[in-house]
Amino acid sequence: MRDRMSRARVLVLHPALGPLDYRVPAGMQVAPGSIVVVPIGPRQYAGVVWEAERLPTEEIGDNRLRNIMAVADAPPIPAPVRRLVEWTADYYLSPPSAVLAMALRTSAAFESAPTITEYRATGEIPDRLTPQRAQALERIGERQGLVKELALVADVSDAVIRGLVKVGAIESVVVDTDTPYPMPDPSFAPPELNPLQADAASILRQAVGAESFQPFLLDGVTGSGKTEVYFEAVAAAIASGKQTLVLLPEIALTEPFLTRFEKRFGCDPVAWHSGLRTSQRRRAWRAIASGEAMVTVGARSALFLPYPNLGLIVVDEAHETSFKQEDGVHYHARDVAVMRGRFEECPVILASATPAIETRHQVELGRYEELKLPGRYGLAEMPEIVPIDLIQEPPERGRWIAPPLVKAIDETLAKGEQSLLFLNRRGYAPLTLCRHCGHRFQCPNCTAWMVEHRLLRRLSCHHCGHTIPAPEICPECKSEDTLVACGPGVERIADEVAALWPEARTAIVTSDTLWSPAKAAEFVARMEHGAIDIVVGTQLVTKGYHFPNLTLVGVIDADLGLDGGDLRASERTFQQIMQVAGRAGRGEKPGTVYIQTHAPDAPVMQALVSGDAESFYAAETEARRDADAPPFGRYAAIIVSSEDRAAAEETARMIGRTAPEIGEDMHVYGPAPAPLAMLRGRHRYRLLVHARRSFDVQQVLRDWLGSLAWSQKVRVAVDVDPYSFV
């Protein structure tokens, strides 16, 4: 009988390969979950030892096996994480190695290196200040990081950074990467809860103590104190020695959350997001994997980290569509969080003021327990919502703010209170054209218009990032002074605000201006100190912020989200406007929300004004049921793309021709050019699969696409449960 311990099945972090078998050298100890280094050809890759029976592969003879090279000095990947990797790969039809890569997001964590050398600016200006050196020093500012990190921030080569080190403009700093994190204190500053909050908190504390899987929907209006309630569950987990994960939809929300957490528990939680330096990421990963990090707050990728002792998962703003990953592994963090809770046998709290229809359906089926907080905390009351019919009361020519909203802002400024104008469109204008010849500026890589960013003097594509300087003349007819900006973005609204209220202090809040937690913290501080009178922002400012002196919200174009034929368009518009409305009147001062719309009689607008969310959701749910749309039916998108248009179209047609005949359980529509027919230089075609809820569409897709072959220059991706239909 062959000694099975002499060989190990390894899931390697190589996107094109499945599991591979390796020999375990004499004296080396490995077990399922061990992080190892293995050879593939002349190169070395990290991987994780797996249970052989769970990941079948073609077995080869012992004499052909290569040796595992090393076992990483890091805790093993726990069994629940391995089960989550398997489930996610199976459900979303992704390679297991691609899912595992999210758990092993930082290779530096696998090495024994308690210190790391980083670099920062000294403030010295070199004698020879080239344009690239000046750009580097300006963009680096007070940042600190590895040479490659600073080069990336500064948009220069590594050599420029190293040159600045040599002349003393940048200095090295030794950073201790294994400094322990402070321990949050569950009894540091417990809040005073009202009876409804106390009842909900008690149920959640009991669920944490039961150490069993139970999903909860914490459904509370904006300002109802949902965070304070689930913090009591976090406190219970800390007290019992269990780890907690809190997922947030946006990196910009991390800083306000950290402040609230520190006030409640006496220290910051461990943060995990894309803005961390390598040393910070290494420290956080190792603290999480060792069980030292008691509470982690992060973006969706934090869901796959190897917590060995997870006792609670919270998904805040659980309705947010940004929890759906749109590239790589097309997973939805809300749904995967529930599955992780099942594998970990711990409660999962989905917190939202506007829960998704899919989540509400799970409550109706009895799978999730609903905890409702129908009123605002303390003396705060829900704001009054007032519609402005743009057909009856249009803005002045060339303007976008209607007279009733202008008057309301006048009154708000006179009272010394703050206003927020919301428009979910970055930049100055979504389209620039020539009024002489009609030329429109379109991205060369995407089927999308170039968006003018006047503050940065450039036109940008919001899909691929392509940027050109703001043009002076039309490239088509060479005419001067004929280029016009069409439609408003937040920068254009800010210009209008400056013209109408020149004395008002204005802030523009978008992902262009709040691109890091530090920038978000700076904005919050200015708002809290009364240094801003009017905020002009996108959806980034609709959630998570609490400003007691903000009493007026104006929605510039409430109809914007209703375009495009998305099945969730009305629901998303309702959620977004309810969220931005929830920023008004969160303190003792009453709030008012003005909604500018061309369709005041549309059901979604009527629901917003009347506050009758239940009737709106009931009608939306019934429409979904009639269409057999999610959550009653299932969709999967097949996206075919290539730099060669003919190859993409030919492959898409071949996939369409070979679609299996299933009958009433499944239908295939397409192929057709995707709404974004070109993206990042790749031509795109789509097929849409519509299936009954109980039908195993993944197996059909696996068999169907697995039997086909296409050119290497064509990429075929599957998006199960798609949220984007572009």
Side-chain angles (χ1 to χ4, degrees):
M1 177 178 173
R2 186 167 54 183
D3 179 8
R4 301 300 297 176
M5 295 306 294
S6 66
R7 59 192 291 148
R9 187 146 301 167
V10 179
L11 184 56
V12 185
L13 294 187
H14 189 299
L17 296 175
L20 299 172
D21 283 352
Y22 286 88
R23 181 185 295 112
V24 181
M28 180 181 286
Q29 298 293 319
V30 298
S34 296
I35 302 172
V36 295
V37 179
V38 296
I40 297 178
R43 302 186 64 185
Q44 300 176 13
Y45 288 84
V48 173
V49 176
W50 221 266
E51 298 92 335
E53 68 276 8
R54 300 193 69 94
L55 284 184
T57 189
E58 181 184 352
E59 291 206 22
I60 61 174
D62 289 351
N63 60 327
R64 295 175 57 197
L65 293 179
R66 299 183 71 180
N67 281 355
I68 294 176
M69 301 177 71
V71 181
D73 177 27
I77 301 300
V81 183
R82 302 199 298 276
R83 302 297 81 83
L84 186 73
V85 168
E86 294 165 2
W87 181 87
T88 305
D90 181 69
Y91 187 87
Y92 292 103
L93 299 176
S94 297
S97 60
V99 183
L100 179 63
M102 293 188 285
L104 304 180
R105 192 55 72 97
T106 174
S107 58
F110 315 144
E111 303 161 6
S112 294
T115 62
I116 192 170
T117 301
E118 293 184 335
Y119 295 86
R120 65 187 179 196
T122 61
E124 297 289 329
I125 305 299
D127 295 334
R128 183 170 159 270
L129 189 64
T130 65
Q132 280 199 313
R133 284 183 169 185
Q135 175 179 311
L137 292 173
E138 179 187 356
R139 294 192 181 182
I140 288 168
E142 296 182 1
R143 285 189 187 84
Q144 182 172 309
L146 303 177
V147 166
K148 63 182 179 182
E149 290 172 333
L150 296 184
L152 193 64
V153 165
D155 194 21
V156 297
S157 68
D158 289 8
V160 173
I161 303 298
R162 295 191 188 283
L164 288 167
V165 173
K166 283 184 179 178
V167 297
I170 290 178
E171 65 181 357
S172 62
V173 185
V174 176
V175 178
D176 186 345
T177 57
D178 285 339
T179 306
Y181 285 94
M183 184 69 68
D185 179 359
S187 58
F188 182 76
E192 291 184 18
L193 303 178
N194 63 35
L196 279 175
Q197 289 177 313
D199 289 346
S202 176
I203 292 169
L204 295 176
R205 279 195 298 264
Q206 290 173 25
V208 170
E211 298 188 11
S212 61
F213 171 62
Q214 173 62 60
F216 291 92
L217 168 60
L218 183 56
D219 180 359
V221 297
T222 53
S224 60
K226 293 184 295 295
T227 306
E228 284 70 26
V229 169
Y230 74 64
F231 270 178
E232 294 308 289
V234 174
I238 295 169
S240 64
K242 292 281 190 177
Q243 292 176 287
T244 295
L245 165 64
V246 181
L247 291 180
L248 300 176
E250 301 276 359
I251 183 176
L253 291 181
T254 306
E255 198 64 31
F257 180 89
L258 296 182
T259 301
R260 295 177 76 175
F261 188 93
E262 192 270 338
K263 287 179 180 177
R264 170 63 181 86
F265 295 103
C267 68
D268 284 345
V270 175
W272 183 271
H273 52 72
S274 58
L276 296 180
R277 309 194 307 267
T278 296
S279 59
Q280 294 171 320
R281 190 173 288 267
R282 179 190 188 278
R283 180 187 176 206
W285 192 95
R286 290 186 73 88
I288 288 165
S290 68
E292 173 207 327
M294 295 305 295
V295 182
T296 303
V297 55
R300 56 180 177 246
S301 62
L303 183 57
F304 291 90
L305 296 175
Y307 312 91
N309 193 20
L310 197 56
L312 175 66
I313 301 172
V314 180
V315 184
D316 206 350
E317 309 286 359
H319 62 278
E320 271 295 317
T321 55
S322 54
F323 278 125
K324 172 72 174 181
Q325 173 87 10
E326 294 295 353
D327 51 25
V329 182
H330 292 263
Y331 70 96
H332 197 302
R334 178 197 66 212
D335 300 338
V336 178
V338 173
M339 290 307 300
R340 175 130 201 200
R342 171 167 286 174
F343 292 128
E344 299 280 359
E345 297 185 351
C346 74
V348 180
I349 302 170
L350 308 180
S352 175
T354 52
I357 288 174
E358 288 85 348
T359 304
R360 289 170 170 264
H361 185 60
Q362 295 295 327
V363 172
E364 288 177 15
L365 294 175
R367 294 173 182 165
Y368 295 2
E369 182 175 343
E370 185 176 30
L371 304 174
K372 288 188 78 76
L373 300 173
R376 281 194 156 176
Y377 181 72
L379 299 175
E381 296 180 358
M382 292 301 291
E384 179 189 6
I385 298 182
V386 180
I388 298 175
D389 186 340
L390 291 175
I391 296 173
Q392 298 295 326
E393 299 183 276
E396 294 179 20
R397 184 176 180 82
R399 295 230 164 127
W400 308 95
I401 306 175
L405 182 53
V406 172
K407 182 182 176 185
I409 295 173
D410 283 336
E411 294 170 353
T412 304
L413 288 170
K415 290 186 288 187
E417 295 169 2
Q418 294 167 315
S419 304
L420 163 62
L421 296 179
F422 168 72
L423 176 65
N424 202 25
R425 189 186 274 146
R426 291 158 49 209
Y428 183 85
L431 171 63
T432 300
L433 58 78
C434 174
R435 60 170 167 252
H436 182 263
C437 72
H439 174 76
R440 299 181 177 194
F441 286 83
Q442 182 170 330
C443 175
N445 308 316
C446 307
T447 314
W449 306 123
M450 299 287 281
V451 178
E452 181 182 357
H453 287 251
R454 191 158 289 187
L455 296 176
L456 299 172
R457 299 178 186 172
R458 68 186 186 192
L459 300 186
S460 296
C461 173
H462 288 176
H463 298 283
C464 72
H466 179 75
T467 299
I468 61 172
E472 300 289 338
I473 62 172
C474 173
E476 192 72 25
C477 67
K478 311 302 180 187
S479 299
E480 296 185 19
D481 300 323
T482 59
L483 301 180
V484 291
C486 301
V490 288
E491 292 177 12
R492 192 169 201 167
I493 301 302
D495 275 5
E496 186 173 337
V497 166
L500 287 168
W501 301 282
E503 302 301 317
R505 297 161 298 176
T506 306
I508 299 174
V509 177
T510 73
S511 56
D512 296 318
T513 60
L514 257 64
W515 38 262
S516 73
K519 286 288 183 184
E522 180 187 333
F523 162 66
V524 169
R526 290 176 64 207
M527 281 293 286
E528 289 177 343
H529 287 99
I532 299 171
D533 299 311
I534 302 174
V535 178
V536 184
T538 61
Q539 56 86 27
L540 198 64
V541 80
T542 64
K543 46 193 175 283
Y545 293 107
H546 176 81
F547 303 124
N549 201 39
L550 177 61
T551 58
L552 177 69
V553 168
V555 180
I556 298 298
D557 186 355
D559 310 325
L560 183 60
L562 294 173
D563 300 334
D566 186 340
L567 78 95
R568 296 181 176 88
S570 290
E571 180 191 19
R572 195 172 297 169
T573 297
F574 180 83
Q575 290 170 333
Q576 202 165 66
I577 294 177
M578 281 299 290
Q579 289 288 329
V580 73
R583 297 314 105 198
R586 292 176 71 94
E588 296 181 9
K589 300 174 183 177
T592 309
V593 179
Y594 287 84
I595 301 177
Q596 298 189 165
T597 174
H598 290 92
D601 295 328
V604 63
M605 299 304 162
Q606 292 285 312
L608 286 162
V609 173
S610 68
D612 189 1
E614 293 308 315
S615 295
F616 169 75
Y617 273 113
E620 280 291 301
T621 302
E622 203 53 41
R624 297 259 196 106
R625 195 191 307 270
D626 291 343
D628 209 21
F632 306 101
R634 307 184 66 191
Y635 286 125
I638 303 172
I639 306 103
V640 182
S641 67
S642 175
E643 293 179 3
D644 182 334
R645 180 175 180 173
E649 182 176 9
E650 179 185 335
T651 302
R653 291 188 182 281
M654 180 260 291
I655 292 173
R657 281 195 309 270
T658 57
E661 296 288 340
I662 300 295
E664 289 303 307
D665 284 338
M666 187 182 103
H667 300 279
V668 180
Y669 303 101
L676 263 177
M678 191 174 180
L679 180 65
R680 302 184 186 100
R682 300 182 69 86
H683 299 275
R684 305 167 76 240
Y685 289 81
R686 288 175 65 96
L687 298 94
L688 188 65
V689 177
H690 183 198
R692 289 191 172 163
R693 189 78 218 168
S694 58
F695 186 67
D696 188 356
V697 71
Q698 280 95 340
Q699 190 56 52
V700 171
L701 285 165
R702 213 175 276 116
D703 294 342
W704 170 20
L705 299 178
S707 66
L708 304 177
W710 48 79
S711 167
Q712 287 189 338
K713 59 187 176 183
V714 176
R715 187 183 302 154
V716 178
V718 178
D719 185 359
V720 176
D721 302 338
Y723 264 58
S724 170
F725 289 84
V726 298

